[in-house]
Amino acid sequence: MSQPLAVLRQRLFTSVLSDCLDAAGHRDQAMQARIRPLDEALVLCGRARTALYMDVYDAPAGENPYELEIRLIDDLRTDEVAVFACGASGRIAPWGELLSTAARARGAAGVVMDGLTRDVRAIRDMKFPVFAGGIGPLDAKGRGKVMAVDVAVEVAGARVAPGDLVFGDADGVVVVPRAIEGQVIAAALAKVAGENATREALARGEKLAEVFRRHGIL
Amino acid sequence: MSQPLAVLRQRLFTSVLSDCLDAAGHRDQAMQARIRPLDEALVLCGRARTALYMDVYDAPAGENPYELEIRLIDDLRTDEVAVFACGASGRIAPWGELLSTAARARGAAGVVMDGLTRDVRAIRDMKFPVFAGGIGPLDAKGRGKVMAVDVAVEVAGARVAPGDLVFGDADGVVVVPRAIEGQVIAAALAKVAGENATREALARGEKLAEVFRRHGIL
Amino acid sequence: MSQPLAVLRQRLFTSVLSDCLDAAGHRDQAMQARIRPLDEALVLCGRARTALYMDVYDAPAGENPYELEIRLIDDLRTDEVAVFACGASGRIAPWGELLSTAARARGAAGVVMDGLTRDVRAIRDMKFPVFAGGIGPLDAKGRGKVMAVDVAVEVAGARVAPGDLVFGDADGVVVVPRAIEGQVIAAALAKVAGENATREALARGEKLAEVFRRHGIL
Amino acid sequence: MSQPLAVLRQRLFTSVLSDCLDAAGHRDQAMQARIRPLDEALVLCGRARTALYMDVYDAPAGENPYELEIRLIDDLRTDEVAVFACGASGRIAPWGELLSTAARARGAAGVVMDGLTRDVRAIRDMKFPVFAGGIGPLDAKGRGKVMAVDVAVEVAGARVAPGDLVFGDADGVVVVPRAIEGQVIAAALAKVAGENATREALARGEKLAEVFRRHGIL
Amino acid sequence: MSQPLAVLRQRLFTSVLSDCLDAAGHRDQAMQARIRPLDEALVLCGRARTALYMDVYDAPAGENPYELEIRLIDDLRTDEVAVFACGASGRIAPWGELLSTAARARGAAGVVMDGLTRDVRAIRDMKFPVFAGGIGPLDAKGRGKVMAVDVAVEVAGARVAPGDLVFGDADGVVVVPRAIEGQVIAAALAKVAGENATREALARGEKLAEVFRRHGIL
Amino acid sequence: MSQPLAVLRQRLFTSVLSDCLDAAGHRDQAMQARIRPLDEALVLCGRARTALYMDVYDAPAGENPYELEIRLIDDLRTDEVAVFACGASGRIAPWGELLSTAARARGAAGVVMDGLTRDVRAIRDMKFPVFAGGIGPLDAKGRGKVMAVDVAVEVAGARVAPGDLVFGDADGVVVVPRAIEGQVIAAALAKVAGENATREALARGEKLAEVFRRHGIL
């Protein structure tokens, strides 16, 4: 990938990347619609660092229930995205203001999880990109626990391998697998240009059939 | 209907229309709560032009997957509402910025769909009323295809026939069948007046039981 | 509880109360994430007045379908919270602008329900705290009816007894049972102080592992 | 209805009645597929006696939680069907061996409910027709309570008014509204005859297209 | 595939084929658990002939709603399996006794659908293998309609292309893609032999750890 | 508990134990209705040995994915019940004929899981009590993995601690916590006797109201 992440963050969109992933034959790369940004104005773009949660039903005394989670956060580097696979239970809010503060201090680009998040007003004030499966107060302690980091996971229907490019904006989140990253990004940058011409023609009142025939973009 | 649509758009509300549809014995006219406006400040009011989607699992080479969809959009007229019945899958985002641009150029009043929509920041900037079952990036190509237009459909639990009045605001979307349109609109305009008196009495601190006894409105 | 409710409203958060309820062994006190505030900037804090709904399929002529509901609203006192247990159907919107007006005139602190609410733009303008399971226009008449008030209920997974402290903000809603109220509030006020120190250390760039070791707060 | 119920029980089928209800324009008369017979060999045919449950969260001391339920069972007459609308919770098993014994002693034709049933091995031994939304042990006490009997209800998507004909077999349950009962039963008896001719032609190897053209039955 | 289908039907199992598909890296070939056989004693094994349904909300007068469905059934040949992709609605029962009779007369091996089936007692008497998403009486007319045959579809989470090998028994249904059929069948026949040795060792009381170390089969 | 398990297996029922657990104030001890026996004629009664699964998305080469599972099965003793908490995904079938063979060879009383089971015809032939959340072929390898044994878990809504009494029959599964086991069993044995008298009175045609007044049993 010859473009730095900051450039992609400015010029690309989730919907365009999704179309280019489709065209490349990778059709399951968008997370389900239940994953939403806390702040629709922020764009998330970075490389995945994954954590895999297990549902638990007890917090044994003397055990640090956050051990691997803390290790992952403390190990985040610039432009990395914490990706938490919390499973389908929807019981836990593993992310909040303190983890956002710690992750941002490391230079992380943001976080994506299929669990819930909390402290949402404080996180919005920080302008830190958080994409989650909902909002709720229940801490993970005694409910869920990270059992592995930097392994392949699935989050809301999309497979995420460590190092994959994760891109999120107001339209949702897509995952670009490493192997096709260069090709997909190049196609997406080209498509953005084509969409501008299409939009202008439609705004002038041209028929959609004619504009689609000419540009092939919808 | 002697009132022009622009007047209804200013003076009516989804909740009042819903009550009057109930009173007329039509009790299944509100779409389910999962259908939400992209912009809660916009009011949608117009006549339904329907499209019926089928889930597909392939996009055969050489086929235009958007053929009927494009035909419907290009045929929209002033004050018409595109109504897309996309089914229960929640996989596809058939609507976005380009279709919004094309539809507005034709004078359409807005769009309602039980699928997802994308390019939501751009659409909000356009102030074009879009009501959808969620937000997501996945294009319909190879996932869903319009098989019929201008037929009776069901969207999020409500039946919509071509030409029905579709009304949406921050409270959701209701469908007013053509046959009872005059009666329901007249009743709704009358109820709006009664609610003002009720609200004022309650704000003065009168007991609800007394105010309801007097006005019969809750 | 030696602190007046207004003080708690300013100094506490749903997430901190949830952690302290967990620590006290009460782990089912948070409502499910589908209960959301109409206005994320408002804080709800008050004592529960409960209403229990039954699904019905008819509105017999001559019957007042709102009888017990009206009685509860008219009986609300300062700092009380109307808690409506509407069940899992999601069909009805028992709350709207008129009930908000009446409840606020009595000094009520707000309302929580697992049903839908309507007239949401008007309610937001009133700055009255409403937490609901969604937004929709369908009135309760002929669909749901209050059959009991001031009884123990369950709302979105949390048990609420009359008089329980109900606290809601942008992160959701928790219920503090009367018997442990003093203990939980004291712990929560203490935890808020500890979180400030943790946040500052993390913002300075200290490692999470070290800060958690020192403060024990995440 | 000139045919006695025992004749209908022998000669009709749920699927044929469903087709004739469709043809009469009543298209929501079949209960959802989750309602299953305990014994697929038994046929249920009788007139509805309805009970409407409310979810409760307490069993107040000194209260008989089964009061209206008992009253309905003791009042059942020959060929009546107890229809229990238990709602969507799926928490309670209001029916079991003892109620089956009592209902059969009154001559009742069977029972339909969207709740669970229990004591299923004993009920199967009795050859008493029970159609339910599942099997489970949890008694209704403190979880659900009958609040009204002999009112219109909805069970698994189908409306049931007192006195409606309720018909169930291995294919599920349909409800025939009183007003169209004669017409629907006459059409169903006629259709059964036509299906025999169709089946024989198909079994001989005739093409479906030809047989359907001739008999119009599928 | 050198083995005739009748041999596979006798010697293979869904679970063994599923393991061998997993081992070949095809991990989404099993239909979801909601697809069940009407008769658990029957084995289904044949080549897919697919039909793709669309939800409809009207049956226009003069139109044959079964046209493509009839064409597919009349065109079935020996050892073919009708595969109906009916979508997620669960509203329709497109299969029954008459279609079973017609399909068997053509020599078809059975049918798989994610819709409902009806006339289940008669179908069981015929010993014709039917796998469905449930049991219910509602005919497809005016609810669903075949829009394409012999195209790639998805049924209960598994992709089915025309000509794929479809195998079903009491454990469910798996789909073996044409391209890997020979390899998967060879591996499955070999695995069946290994399981016999494992089973005998375990029945003699050997420890699972030791037997698994020796045979590598679980 | 002075009664041996074999006596309880003969004399008790899930429904009676559920009522006595309710009466003792333990109201969440029944598993949800989706947990069903493979063979409704078998009774399960024994002490829980638990296994906790985590969803995984890879099977790393060289790793034994069944390690803890095998260890638990090999360690089972007479009258123990393997209890597998597989989570809400419904993707995996961790139980089959081989594990049944191994567990029975150790004298285990049976197994309960919220996942799926496979090889169901062979298991039924063995008359080994298996209660599961469904039937399906997908092996756990690369999909789910046991991460802990002999810890407290939740299965289908019921908490199970190691050593708890697990009782299952055609009506479902209940869990009797160790601390109240003696009291609940004594009450259940007494209630069984009372139900016989009630049943006989009802079969003679006595009114339910009178019999319930006399015996207090429903």
Side-chain angles (χ1 to χ4, degrees), chain F residues 5 11 20 24 39-40 53 64 69 82 90 105-106 117 122 151 160 179 191 201 207 212 215:
Chain F
L5 291 173
R11 296 181 46 197
C20 296
D39 182 340
E40 295 199 347
Y53 278 78
N64 175 0
E69 188 179 286
R106 304 266 92 74
T117 190
V151 296
V160 189
K191 191 172 188 214
K207 287 280 182 177
F212 180 65
H215 294 287

Side-chain angles (χ1 to χ4, degrees), chain D residues 36-42 95-98 100-101 104 111 117-132 134-136, chain F residues 36-42 169-172:
Chain D
R36 296 296 304 148
L38 282 191
D39 182 340
E40 295 199 348
L42 300 179
W95 195 264
E97 183 192 8
L98 298 179
S100 297
T101 305
R104 195 170 62 169
V111 61
T117 190
R118 62 187 218 174
D119 310 325
V120 298
R121 296 193 70 200
I123 294 175
R124 286 199 189 105
D125 288 345
M126 298 171 60
K127 302 284 177 201
F128 186 72
V130 174
F131 290 69
I135 296 171
Chain F
R36 296 296 306 147
L38 282 191
D39 182 340
E40 295 199 347
L42 299 179
D169 61 18
D171 286 346

